Amino acid sequence: MNHSKKYSSDCGLNKVQKMVGGKWKLSLLWYISEETRRFGEIKRVFPDITQSMLTKQLRELESDGLLHRKIYKEVPPRVEYSLTKLGQRFVPILHSMSEWGESNLE
Amino acid sequence: MNHSKKYSSDCGLNKVQKMVGGKWKLSLLWYISEETRRFGEIKRVFPDITQSMLTKQLRELESDGLLHRKIYKEVPPRVEYSLTKLGQRFVPILHSMSEWGESNLE
DNA sequence: CGGTATCCTTGTGGATACTG
DNA sequence: CAGTATCCACAAGGATACCG
């Protein structure tokens, strides 16, 4: 990597920020990392996210390759979210961030 | 921590996001982590950030306790930014994120 | 050199109603 | 149950001009 790109918008760091920078994404990843979750389950645990927002953020995480979305063709419908390999490799970072954050709650 | 707060807006994870979620903050922290930097130096390395934006983001990082701002009462004025202890403890996370990001540039 | 002050644009998040 | 579709508010980001 040459120096002109070292801090540019296409470096790894900024890429990460774009992928997990959404208001709820870190928490969502954390929650889904614990185990596979259904949409309604997530919705219940995060009552402050509107349903449309939740769908949007989950879809963004999916299209960024962090989440897998599995649709069961049943009635009533059922959708489960789980981490991809990429998402799983992000979990340790998630833990570090949480720990760092907790350690300095004033 | 009780369950109702586990994923709430005041958990460590969301705190981290608020602190380093600004568009340029991760890169700024990285750059300043390498060594103490002068304002003009930062400005030159990040030509896409306007000066007012740069000041704003640096001040936010400062008031969140990540950066230290040292003013030398000289003419011409001189201001140096460096990481605080808290900021230094964030550097490993910064590295993990960068590595994770670089490892999946498509 | 290292800022402020002011104003403006955009992106992100959200409310609400409707649906296969 | 798990979504879409619209429309909207506001905060974050940015351009520009001036200053100690």
PDB file of all heavy atoms in Angstrom, chain A residues 5-33:
ATOM      1  N   LYS A   5      -2.431   6.193  -0.055  1.00  0.00           N
ATOM      2  CA  LYS A   5      -3.665   5.453   0.238  1.00  0.00           C
ATOM      3  C   LYS A   5      -3.735   5.003   1.691  1.00  0.00           C
ATOM      4  O   LYS A   5      -4.723   4.444   2.129  1.00  0.00           O
ATOM      5  CB  LYS A   5      -3.728   4.212  -0.658  1.00  0.00           C
ATOM      6  CG  LYS A   5      -3.910   4.554  -2.116  1.00  0.00           C
ATOM      7  CD  LYS A   5      -4.955   3.682  -2.748  1.00  0.00           C
ATOM      8  CE  LYS A   5      -5.346   4.224  -4.121  1.00  0.00           C
ATOM      9  NZ  LYS A   5      -6.449   3.475  -4.700  1.00  0.00           N
ATOM     10  N   LYS A   6      -2.676   5.220   2.410  1.00  0.00           N
ATOM     11  CA  LYS A   6      -2.573   4.666   3.744  1.00  0.00           C
ATOM     12  C   LYS A   6      -3.734   5.070   4.660  1.00  0.00           C
ATOM     13  O   LYS A   6      -4.183   4.290   5.477  1.00  0.00           O
ATOM     14  CB  LYS A   6      -1.255   5.107   4.378  1.00  0.00           C
ATOM     15  CG  LYS A   6      -0.852   4.245   5.546  1.00  0.00           C
ATOM     16  CD  LYS A   6       0.583   4.501   5.925  1.00  0.00           C
ATOM     17  CE  LYS A   6       0.992   3.659   7.121  1.00  0.00           C
ATOM     18  NZ  LYS A   6       2.309   4.041   7.619  1.00  0.00           N
ATOM     19  N   TYR A   7      -4.203   6.295   4.506  1.00  0.00           N
ATOM     20  CA  TYR A   7      -5.289   6.759   5.370  1.00  0.00           C
ATOM     21  C   TYR A   7      -6.515   7.136   4.552  1.00  0.00           C
ATOM     22  O   TYR A   7      -7.357   7.893   4.988  1.00  0.00           O
ATOM     23  CB  TYR A   7      -4.816   7.960   6.191  1.00  0.00           C
ATOM     24  CG  TYR A   7      -3.582   7.642   6.982  1.00  0.00           C
ATOM     25  CD1 TYR A   7      -2.339   8.118   6.586  1.00  0.00           C
ATOM     26  CD2 TYR A   7      -3.665   6.846   8.111  1.00  0.00           C
ATOM     27  CE1 TYR A   7      -1.206   7.807   7.312  1.00  0.00           C
ATOM     28  CE2 TYR A   7      -2.540   6.527   8.829  1.00  0.00           C
ATOM     29  CZ  TYR A   7      -1.308   7.010   8.427  1.00  0.00           C
ATOM     30  OH  TYR A   7      -0.190   6.701   9.145  1.00  0.00           O
ATOM     31  N   SER A   8      -6.579   6.612   3.345  1.00  0.00           N
ATOM     32  CA  SER A   8      -7.654   7.025   2.449  1.00  0.00           C
ATOM     33  C   SER A   8      -8.947   6.276   2.738  1.00  0.00           C
ATOM     34  O   SER A   8      -9.003   5.372   3.565  1.00  0.00           O
ATOM     35  CB  SER A   8      -7.253   6.772   1.003  1.00  0.00           C
ATOM     36  OG  SER A   8      -7.327   5.385   0.726  1.00  0.00           O
ATOM     37  N   SER A   9      -9.982   6.640   2.022  1.00  0.00           N
ATOM     38  CA  SER A   9     -11.312   6.102   2.282  1.00  0.00           C
ATOM     39  C   SER A   9     -11.440   4.630   1.905  1.00  0.00           C
ATOM     40  O   SER A   9     -12.400   3.985   2.272  1.00  0.00           O
ATOM     41  CB  SER A   9     -12.351   6.908   1.520  1.00  0.00           C
ATOM     42  OG  SER A   9     -12.062   6.873   0.146  1.00  0.00           O
ATOM     43  N   ASP A  10     -10.464   4.093   1.180  1.00  0.00           N
ATOM     44  CA  ASP A  10     -10.584   2.684   0.840  1.00  0.00           C
ATOM     45  C   ASP A  10      -9.620   1.793   1.632  1.00  0.00           C
ATOM     46  O   ASP A  10      -9.340   0.674   1.241  1.00  0.00           O
ATOM     47  CB  ASP A  10     -10.401   2.458  -0.673  1.00  0.00           C
ATOM     48  CG  ASP A  10      -9.060   2.958  -1.149  1.00  0.00           C
ATOM     49  OD1 ASP A  10      -8.389   3.668  -0.381  1.00  0.00           O
ATOM     50  OD2 ASP A  10      -8.678   2.640  -2.282  1.00  0.00           O
ATOM     51  N   CYS A  11      -9.129   2.290   2.743  1.00  0.00           N
ATOM     52  CA  CYS A  11      -8.290   1.448   3.576  1.00  0.00           C
ATOM     53  C   CYS A  11      -9.172   0.522   4.416  1.00  0.00           C
ATOM     54  O   CYS A  11     -10.382   0.727   4.517  1.00  0.00           O
ATOM     55  CB  CYS A  11      -7.389   2.288   4.476  1.00  0.00           C
ATOM     56  SG  CYS A  11      -8.238   3.080   5.832  1.00  0.00           S
ATOM     57  N   GLY A  12      -8.572  -0.492   4.979  1.00  0.00           N
ATOM     58  CA  GLY A  12      -9.325  -1.470   5.740  1.00  0.00           C
ATOM     59  C   GLY A  12     -10.134  -0.866   6.863  1.00  0.00           C
ATOM     60  O   GLY A  12     -11.280  -1.238   7.099  1.00  0.00           O
ATOM     61  N   LEU A  13      -9.542   0.085   7.521  1.00  0.00           N
ATOM     62  CA  LEU A  13     -10.180   0.708   8.674  1.00  0.00           C
ATOM     63  C   LEU A  13     -11.499   1.384   8.315  1.00  0.00           C
ATOM     64  O   LEU A  13     -12.507   1.226   9.003  1.00  0.00           O
ATOM     65  CB  LEU A  13      -9.209   1.740   9.251  1.00  0.00           C
ATOM     66  CG  LEU A  13      -9.040   1.848  10.751  1.00  0.00           C
ATOM     67  CD1 LEU A  13      -9.004   0.492  11.405  1.00  0.00           C
ATOM     68  CD2 LEU A  13      -7.768   2.626  11.050  1.00  0.00           C
ATOM     69  N   ASN A  14     -11.481   2.131   7.219  1.00  0.00           N
ATOM     70  CA  ASN A  14     -12.701   2.811   6.823  1.00  0.00           C
ATOM     71  C   ASN A  14     -13.744   1.848   6.276  1.00  0.00           C
ATOM     72  O   ASN A  14     -14.937   2.094   6.367  1.00  0.00           O
ATOM     73  CB  ASN A  14     -12.379   3.908   5.814  1.00  0.00           C
ATOM     74  CG  ASN A  14     -11.750   5.110   6.485  1.00  0.00           C
ATOM     75  OD1 ASN A  14     -12.213   5.550   7.532  1.00  0.00           O
ATOM     76  ND2 ASN A  14     -10.680   5.633   5.913  1.00  0.00           N
ATOM     77  N   LYS A  15     -13.257   0.775   5.706  1.00  0.00           N
ATOM     78  CA  LYS A  15     -14.156  -0.257   5.238  1.00  0.00           C
ATOM     79  C   LYS A  15     -14.931  -0.860   6.414  1.00  0.00           C
ATOM     80  O   LYS A  15     -16.142  -1.056   6.354  1.00  0.00           O
ATOM     81  CB  LYS A  15     -13.341  -1.345   4.545  1.00  0.00           C
ATOM     82  CG  LYS A  15     -14.137  -2.059   3.502  1.00  0.00           C
ATOM     83  CD  LYS A  15     -13.260  -2.520   2.369  1.00  0.00           C
ATOM     84  CE  LYS A  15     -14.143  -2.795   1.155  1.00  0.00           C
ATOM     85  NZ  LYS A  15     -13.384  -2.938  -0.061  1.00  0.00           N
ATOM     86  N   VAL A  16     -14.195  -1.144   7.463  1.00  0.00           N
ATOM     87  CA  VAL A  16     -14.815  -1.683   8.669  1.00  0.00           C
ATOM     88  C   VAL A  16     -15.890  -0.740   9.194  1.00  0.00           C
ATOM     89  O   VAL A  16     -16.997  -1.146   9.524  1.00  0.00           O
ATOM     90  CB  VAL A  16     -13.764  -1.911   9.773  1.00  0.00           C
ATOM     91  CG1 VAL A  16     -14.425  -2.346  11.072  1.00  0.00           C
ATOM     92  CG2 VAL A  16     -12.748  -2.952   9.336  1.00  0.00           C
ATOM     93  N   GLN A  17     -15.522   0.526   9.227  1.00  0.00           N
ATOM     94  CA  GLN A  17     -16.456   1.517   9.740  1.00  0.00           C
ATOM     95  C   GLN A  17     -17.754   1.547   8.952  1.00  0.00           C
ATOM     96  O   GLN A  17     -18.837   1.644   9.506  1.00  0.00           O
ATOM     97  CB  GLN A  17     -15.802   2.891   9.697  1.00  0.00           C
ATOM     98  CG  GLN A  17     -16.572   3.916  10.488  1.00  0.00           C
ATOM     99  CD  GLN A  17     -15.890   5.236  10.453  1.00  0.00           C
ATOM    100  OE1 GLN A  17     -15.306   5.626   9.444  1.00  0.00           O
ATOM    101  NE2 GLN A  17     -15.972   5.973  11.547  1.00  0.00           N
ATOM    102  N   LYS A  18     -17.619   1.461   7.622  1.00  0.00           N
ATOM    103  CA  LYS A  18     -18.821   1.474   6.790  1.00  0.00           C
ATOM    104  C   LYS A  18     -19.659   0.223   7.025  1.00  0.00           C
ATOM    105  O   LYS A  18     -20.878   0.263   6.971  1.00  0.00           O
ATOM    106  CB  LYS A  18     -18.439   1.582   5.313  1.00  0.00           C
ATOM    107  CG  LYS A  18     -18.036   2.985   4.921  1.00  0.00           C
ATOM    108  CD  LYS A  18     -17.416   3.007   3.521  1.00  0.00           C
ATOM    109  CE  LYS A  18     -16.690   4.329   3.278  1.00  0.00           C
ATOM    110  NZ  LYS A  18     -15.655   4.212   2.232  1.00  0.00           N
ATOM    111  N   MET A  19     -18.996  -0.895   7.270  1.00  0.00           N
ATOM    112  CA  MET A  19     -19.718  -2.158   7.423  1.00  0.00           C
ATOM    113  C   MET A  19     -20.450  -2.275   8.759  1.00  0.00           C
ATOM    114  O   MET A  19     -21.551  -2.828   8.818  1.00  0.00           O
ATOM    115  CB  MET A  19     -18.750  -3.333   7.274  1.00  0.00           C
ATOM    116  CG  MET A  19     -18.236  -3.496   5.849  1.00  0.00           C
ATOM    117  SD  MET A  19     -16.885  -4.695   5.734  1.00  0.00           S
ATOM    118  CE  MET A  19     -17.779  -6.248   5.781  1.00  0.00           C
ATOM    119  N   VAL A  20     -19.827  -1.817   9.813  1.00  0.00           N
ATOM    120  CA  VAL A  20     -20.430  -2.006  11.136  1.00  0.00           C
ATOM    121  C   VAL A  20     -20.791  -0.691  11.819  1.00  0.00           C
ATOM    122  O   VAL A  20     -21.080  -0.667  13.007  1.00  0.00           O
ATOM    123  CB  VAL A  20     -19.500  -2.819  12.065  1.00  0.00           C
ATOM    124  CG1 VAL A  20     -19.221  -4.182  11.461  1.00  0.00           C
ATOM    125  CG2 VAL A  20     -18.207  -2.077  12.333  1.00  0.00           C
ATOM    126  N   GLY A  21     -20.793   0.400  11.041  1.00  0.00           N
ATOM    127  CA  GLY A  21     -20.991   1.715  11.622  1.00  0.00           C
ATOM    128  C   GLY A  21     -22.437   2.080  11.916  1.00  0.00           C
ATOM    129  O   GLY A  21     -22.698   3.083  12.542  1.00  0.00           O
ATOM    130  N   GLY A  22     -23.381   1.287  11.453  1.00  0.00           N
ATOM    131  CA  GLY A  22     -24.780   1.605  11.708  1.00  0.00           C
ATOM    132  C   GLY A  22     -25.094   1.657  13.192  1.00  0.00           C
ATOM    133  O   GLY A  22     -24.419   1.013  13.997  1.00  0.00           O
ATOM    134  N   LYS A  23     -26.105   2.407  13.532  1.00  0.00           N
ATOM    135  CA  LYS A  23     -26.423   2.668  14.934  1.00  0.00           C
ATOM    136  C   LYS A  23     -26.596   1.404  15.774  1.00  0.00           C
ATOM    137  O   LYS A  23     -26.263   1.392  16.948  1.00  0.00           O
ATOM    138  CB  LYS A  23     -27.699   3.519  15.004  1.00  0.00           C
ATOM    139  CG  LYS A  23     -28.090   3.934  16.398  1.00  0.00           C
ATOM    140  CD  LYS A  23     -29.186   4.975  16.341  1.00  0.00           C
ATOM    141  CE  LYS A  23     -29.648   5.365  17.730  1.00  0.00           C
ATOM    142  NZ  LYS A  23     -30.783   6.314  17.679  1.00  0.00           N
ATOM    143  N   TRP A  24     -27.138   0.352  15.187  1.00  0.00           N
ATOM    144  CA  TRP A  24     -27.435  -0.837  15.976  1.00  0.00           C
ATOM    145  C   TRP A  24     -26.591  -2.040  15.605  1.00  0.00           C
ATOM    146  O   TRP A  24     -26.752  -3.123  16.188  1.00  0.00           O
ATOM    147  CB  TRP A  24     -28.904  -1.228  15.795  1.00  0.00           C
ATOM    148  CG  TRP A  24     -29.855  -0.124  16.054  1.00  0.00           C
ATOM    149  CD1 TRP A  24     -30.425   0.704  15.128  1.00  0.00           C
ATOM    150  CD2 TRP A  24     -30.370   0.302  17.317  1.00  0.00           C
ATOM    151  NE1 TRP A  24     -31.255   1.606  15.736  1.00  0.00           N
ATOM    152  CE2 TRP A  24     -31.246   1.377  17.080  1.00  0.00           C
ATOM    153  CE3 TRP A  24     -30.176  -0.147  18.628  1.00  0.00           C
ATOM    154  CZ2 TRP A  24     -31.914   2.027  18.105  1.00  0.00           C
ATOM    155  CZ3 TRP A  24     -30.842   0.501  19.647  1.00  0.00           C
ATOM    156  CH2 TRP A  24     -31.702   1.576  19.380  1.00  0.00           C
ATOM    157  N   LYS A  25     -25.735  -1.885  14.634  1.00  0.00           N
ATOM    158  CA  LYS A  25     -25.099  -3.067  14.043  1.00  0.00           C
ATOM    159  C   LYS A  25     -24.196  -3.841  14.993  1.00  0.00           C
ATOM    160  O   LYS A  25     -24.205  -5.070  15.007  1.00  0.00           O
ATOM    161  CB  LYS A  25     -24.341  -2.669  12.781  1.00  0.00           C
ATOM    162  CG  LYS A  25     -25.282  -2.390  11.631  1.00  0.00           C
ATOM    163  CD  LYS A  25     -24.559  -2.056  10.349  1.00  0.00           C
ATOM    164  CE  LYS A  25     -25.569  -1.715   9.265  1.00  0.00           C
ATOM    165  NZ  LYS A  25     -24.913  -1.217   8.044  1.00  0.00           N
ATOM    166  N   LEU A  26     -23.448  -3.144  15.806  1.00  0.00           N
ATOM    167  CA  LEU A  26     -22.569  -3.847  16.737  1.00  0.00           C
ATOM    168  C   LEU A  26     -23.384  -4.705  17.701  1.00  0.00           C
ATOM    169  O   LEU A  26     -23.082  -5.871  17.925  1.00  0.00           O
ATOM    170  CB  LEU A  26     -21.693  -2.861  17.513  1.00  0.00           C
ATOM    171  CG  LEU A  26     -20.651  -2.076  16.704  1.00  0.00           C
ATOM    172  CD1 LEU A  26     -19.851  -1.160  17.620  1.00  0.00           C
ATOM    173  CD2 LEU A  26     -19.715  -3.018  15.961  1.00  0.00           C
ATOM    174  N   SER A  27     -24.439  -4.114  18.233  1.00  0.00           N
ATOM    175  CA  SER A  27     -25.285  -4.861  19.169  1.00  0.00           C
ATOM    176  C   SER A  27     -25.976  -6.029  18.487  1.00  0.00           C
ATOM    177  O   SER A  27     -26.099  -7.111  19.063  1.00  0.00           O
ATOM    178  CB  SER A  27     -26.335  -3.940  19.777  1.00  0.00           C
ATOM    179  OG  SER A  27     -25.711  -2.926  20.534  1.00  0.00           O
ATOM    180  N   LEU A  28     -26.423  -5.805  17.262  1.00  0.00           N
ATOM    181  CA  LEU A  28     -27.082  -6.880  16.525  1.00  0.00           C
ATOM    182  C   LEU A  28     -26.124  -8.031  16.286  1.00  0.00           C
ATOM    183  O   LEU A  28     -26.474  -9.201  16.484  1.00  0.00           O
ATOM    184  CB  LEU A  28     -27.606  -6.351  15.178  1.00  0.00           C
ATOM    185  CG  LEU A  28     -28.851  -5.456  15.254  1.00  0.00           C
ATOM    186  CD1 LEU A  28     -29.160  -4.838  13.896  1.00  0.00           C
ATOM    187  CD2 LEU A  28     -30.042  -6.251  15.769  1.00  0.00           C
ATOM    188  N   LEU A  29     -24.906  -7.702  15.865  1.00  0.00           N
ATOM    189  CA  LEU A  29     -23.914  -8.745  15.627  1.00  0.00           C
ATOM    190  C   LEU A  29     -23.652  -9.533  16.906  1.00  0.00           C
ATOM    191  O   LEU A  29     -23.566 -10.756  16.903  1.00  0.00           O
ATOM    192  CB  LEU A  29     -22.613  -8.131  15.109  1.00  0.00           C
ATOM    193  CG  LEU A  29     -22.634  -7.654  13.662  1.00  0.00           C
ATOM    194  CD1 LEU A  29     -21.354  -6.905  13.330  1.00  0.00           C
ATOM    195  CD2 LEU A  29     -22.833  -8.828  12.708  1.00  0.00           C
ATOM    196  N   TRP A  30     -23.538  -8.792  17.985  1.00  0.00           N
ATOM    197  CA  TRP A  30     -23.300  -9.433  19.275  1.00  0.00           C
ATOM    198  C   TRP A  30     -24.417 -10.422  19.612  1.00  0.00           C
ATOM    199  O   TRP A  30     -24.165 -11.578  19.952  1.00  0.00           O
ATOM    200  CB  TRP A  30     -23.197  -8.375  20.377  1.00  0.00           C
ATOM    201  CG  TRP A  30     -22.900  -8.937  21.731  1.00  0.00           C
ATOM    202  CD1 TRP A  30     -23.744  -9.645  22.542  1.00  0.00           C
ATOM    203  CD2 TRP A  30     -21.656  -8.874  22.424  1.00  0.00           C
ATOM    204  NE1 TRP A  30     -23.111  -9.996  23.699  1.00  0.00           N
ATOM    205  CE2 TRP A  30     -21.819  -9.539  23.659  1.00  0.00           C
ATOM    206  CE3 TRP A  30     -20.417  -8.293  22.138  1.00  0.00           C
ATOM    207  CZ2 TRP A  30     -20.801  -9.647  24.602  1.00  0.00           C
ATOM    208  CZ3 TRP A  30     -19.400  -8.399  23.081  1.00  0.00           C
ATOM    209  CH2 TRP A  30     -19.585  -9.073  24.286  1.00  0.00           C
ATOM    210  N   TYR A  31     -25.634  -9.931  19.489  1.00  0.00           N
ATOM    211  CA  TYR A  31     -26.780 -10.762  19.846  1.00  0.00           C
ATOM    212  C   TYR A  31     -26.878 -12.012  18.974  1.00  0.00           C
ATOM    213  O   TYR A  31     -27.109 -13.111  19.461  1.00  0.00           O
ATOM    214  CB  TYR A  31     -28.071  -9.939  19.726  1.00  0.00           C
ATOM    215  CG  TYR A  31     -29.312 -10.681  20.126  1.00  0.00           C
ATOM    216  CD1 TYR A  31     -29.471 -11.187  21.412  1.00  0.00           C
ATOM    217  CD2 TYR A  31     -30.340 -10.892  19.203  1.00  0.00           C
ATOM    218  CE1 TYR A  31     -30.618 -11.878  21.774  1.00  0.00           C
ATOM    219  CE2 TYR A  31     -31.497 -11.579  19.566  1.00  0.00           C
ATOM    220  CZ  TYR A  31     -31.627 -12.068  20.852  1.00  0.00           C
ATOM    221  OH  TYR A  31     -32.756 -12.752  21.210  1.00  0.00           O
ATOM    222  N   ILE A  32     -26.645 -11.824  17.682  1.00  0.00           N
ATOM    223  CA  ILE A  32     -26.734 -12.957  16.761  1.00  0.00           C
ATOM    224  C   ILE A  32     -25.537 -13.890  16.909  1.00  0.00           C
ATOM    225  O   ILE A  32     -25.628 -15.088  16.634  1.00  0.00           O
ATOM    226  CB  ILE A  32     -26.880 -12.441  15.310  1.00  0.00           C
ATOM    227  CG1 ILE A  32     -28.213 -11.705  15.171  1.00  0.00           C
ATOM    228  CG2 ILE A  32     -26.785 -13.571  14.289  1.00  0.00           C
ATOM    229  CD1 ILE A  32     -28.353 -10.880  13.918  1.00  0.00           C
ATOM    230  N   SER A  33     -24.422 -13.320  17.397  1.00  0.00           N
ATOM    231  CA  SER A  33     -23.234 -14.163  17.581  1.00  0.00           C
ATOM    232  C   SER A  33     -23.452 -15.206  18.680  1.00  0.00           C
ATOM    233  O   SER A  33     -22.834 -16.266  18.676  1.00  0.00           O
ATOM    234  CB  SER A  33     -22.008 -13.306  17.920  1.00  0.00           C
ATOM    235  OG  SER A  33     -22.029 -12.912  19.284  1.00  0.00           O
TER     236      SER A  33
END
